[in-house]
Amino acid sequence: MPLKRCTKTEYKKRVCAAMNYISHNLDQELTLEEIAKEATFSPYHFHRIFKAVTGETISEFIKRLRLEKAACILSMNNTKNITRIAFDCNFSSSQNFAKAFRNHFGMSPSEFRKQNSKTIITDFDENLFFNSGNNNNSIFGKTLDIEKKLKMNVKITERPESRVAYVRKVGKYCKKTCEPAFQEIISWAIAKGLNITEKFLAIYWDNPEITPPEKCRMDACVTLPADLSINNSKNVQIIASGTYAIFHHEISETEFQEAWFDSFKWIIENEYECDDRIFYEQYNNNPLEHPEGKYIINICIPLRRSPFSLKK
């Protein structure tokens, strides 16, 4: 009887499924058995398989993602209690959290929050993002120059659940990483006979200001018709339904980072809180066909109404 084989592509696909499961359940106690089940591997060897594919043990991966989630909360929320953040990120105590955070980031959570708040203000040219007037009803006492523009281009809406096929790349968020992923998923979509005008998405799982660039995960996705059956040739995942802020941008290749920054500034100004669901970009055109070579995109940020006020 021939031995059952598992290709490198199949290994990667199944490990991606495990990574996705972990990312969606960071606030839960996760066992090796349930993670291995998501990847359809035996628990006995899965921890070795996971490290061979990702370069990290499962526990290292979970701990890093929880610390990076905490760092994101600290960077976006100047008022939330640090002990509460520790428990929300599934650390057993504030002491364990503080020790792990210092070991990972080289500073305490409160030092990180203080330093990050300074970075938000000083790393950008204020003349680009704030007007000169003082407004006590806006964050940091100033009003965004882009506020009116974004109000014309943002929509808060309920989005249904959608199913996407995806290609994952790990590395610095740049053209060198993203372009091959999109070339692969577009070629697959064409081979499947999908309408190439179907919306393509990019999912960015990690914050490149916190996660080491070589560990950042990016998925190039194509939305699948509800009636399309997919075999084991491609990774498939679900983008959850819920409330999203949809930011419409028409930008050049060099303006993606600024578009994300502007979108988050709008969220902060308008006192919304981001949810733990997937953030993604939705592409609405082929930039090669645009007269100015611009990308027409939607930045889709999941929301829940913030229980606290950020206004001073």
Side-chain angles (χ1 to χ4, degrees):
M1 181 181 295
L3 294 173
K4 184 177 180 181
R5 300 183 65 85
C6 186
T7 65
K8 291 180 181 179
T9 300
E10 182 67 15
Y11 270 117
K12 182 179 178 181
K13 172 188 172 184
R14 289 157 72 177
V15 169
C16 281
M19 294 169 78
N20 293 359
Y21 179 79
I22 291 168
S23 295
H24 290 309
N25 294 278
L26 284 175
D27 59 340
Q28 305 295 319
E29 289 295 336
L30 297 169
T31 66
L32 174 64
E33 288 73 20
E34 65 185 289
I35 298 169
K37 183 179 179 181
E38 287 295 316
T40 62
F41 279 117
S42 165
Y44 187 70
H45 290 301
F46 181 59
H47 63 291
R48 295 183 179 90
I49 293 169
F50 188 92
K51 184 170 183 178
V53 173
T54 67
E56 295 178 282
T57 67
I58 294 172
S59 60
E60 288 170 343
F61 180 77
I62 293 172
K63 186 176 182 180
R64 176 171 65 82
L65 260 61
R66 284 175 173 161
L67 286 168
E68 290 170 357
K69 177 182 177 181
C72 287
I73 296 172
L74 287 166
S75 67
M76 294 184 67
N77 184 337
N78 288 325
T79 61
K80 191 169 186 178
N81 180 272
I82 290 177
T83 299
R84 182 71 263 165
I85 293 174
F87 290 139
D88 287 349
C89 295
N90 211 38
F91 287 89
S92 59
S93 70
S94 58
Q95 292 81 8
N96 288 340
F97 170 63
K99 182 178 179 180
F101 196 95
R102 182 178 288 278
N103 287 340
H104 189 77
F105 290 104
M107 65 184 77
S108 70
S110 58
E111 289 169 338
F112 180 91
R113 171 180 272 168
K114 184 178 180 181
Q115 179 172 304
N116 192 68
S117 295
K118 290 180 180 178
T119 301
I120 290 173
I121 298 173
T122 61
D123 272 5
F124 297 90
D125 181 356
E126 286 192 350
N127 292 326
L128 292 176
F129 300 101
F130 303 106
N131 63 33
S132 58
N134 183 23
N135 183 340
N136 291 329
N137 291 324
S138 63
I139 192 166
F140 304 132
K142 297 182 180 180
T143 303
L144 294 170
D145 280 339
I146 60 166
E147 185 175 5
K148 290 183 180 179
K149 177 182 176 183
L150 283 176
K151 281 185 176 178
M152 296 294 294
N153 292 280
V154 63
K155 179 171 65 174
I156 308 297
T157 186
E158 294 293 317
R159 304 213 94 180
E161 179 180 281
S162 60
R163 188 174 57 128
V164 299
Y166 70 98
V167 170
R168 176 165 297 172
K169 300 295 182 184
V170 179
K172 182 179 180 181
Y173 291 155
C174 62
K175 188 173 183 179
K176 184 178 179 181
T177 301
C178 300
E179 193 170 81
F182 274 106
Q183 289 173 347
E184 186 175 337
I185 195 66
I186 289 170
S187 296
W188 178 85
I190 292 173
K192 280 289 182 183
L194 297 181
N195 185 347
I196 205 63
T197 61
E198 289 284 347
K199 287 187 172 63
F200 287 89
L201 315 174
I203 298 173
Y204 300 100
W205 287 91
D206 304 295
N207 182 341
E209 296 179 1
I210 294 172
T211 304
E214 69 275 9
K215 295 184 183 294
C216 287
R217 295 162 293 159
M218 174 269 176
D219 295 345
C221 313
V222 61
T223 305
L224 299 173
D227 59 351
L228 180 66
S229 177
I230 298 296
N231 57 26
N232 291 329
S233 66
K234 188 57 56 183
N235 294 336
V236 175
Q237 61 182 309
I238 301 297
I239 297 180
S241 61
T243 305
Y244 286 81
I246 311 299
F247 296 88
H248 186 77
H249 296 276
E250 188 169 333
I251 55 177
S252 69
E253 187 176 300
T254 61
E255 294 175 319
F256 278 83
Q257 183 176 353
E258 183 177 323
W260 277 92
F261 178 81
D262 291 349
S263 300
F264 274 102
K265 293 301 290 185
W266 185 94
I267 285 175
I268 293 170
E269 282 283 352
N270 288 273
E271 296 186 353
Y272 286 97
E273 185 178 0
C274 300
D275 194 45
D276 291 333
R277 287 170 286 125
I278 291 172
F279 297 62
Y280 59 94
E281 289 172 352
Q282 186 177 58
Y283 301 98
N284 302 314
N285 77 316
N286 181 345
L288 298 177
E289 298 173 355
H290 191 283
E292 299 177 21
K294 291 195 173 184
Y295 294 77
I296 301 175
I297 68 168
N298 293 332
I299 290 177
C300 304
I301 301 177
L303 296 180
R304 60 174 174 261
R305 186 64 187 177
S306 174
F308 52 85
S309 174
L310 289 179
K311 291 184 176 181
K312 305 297 183 185

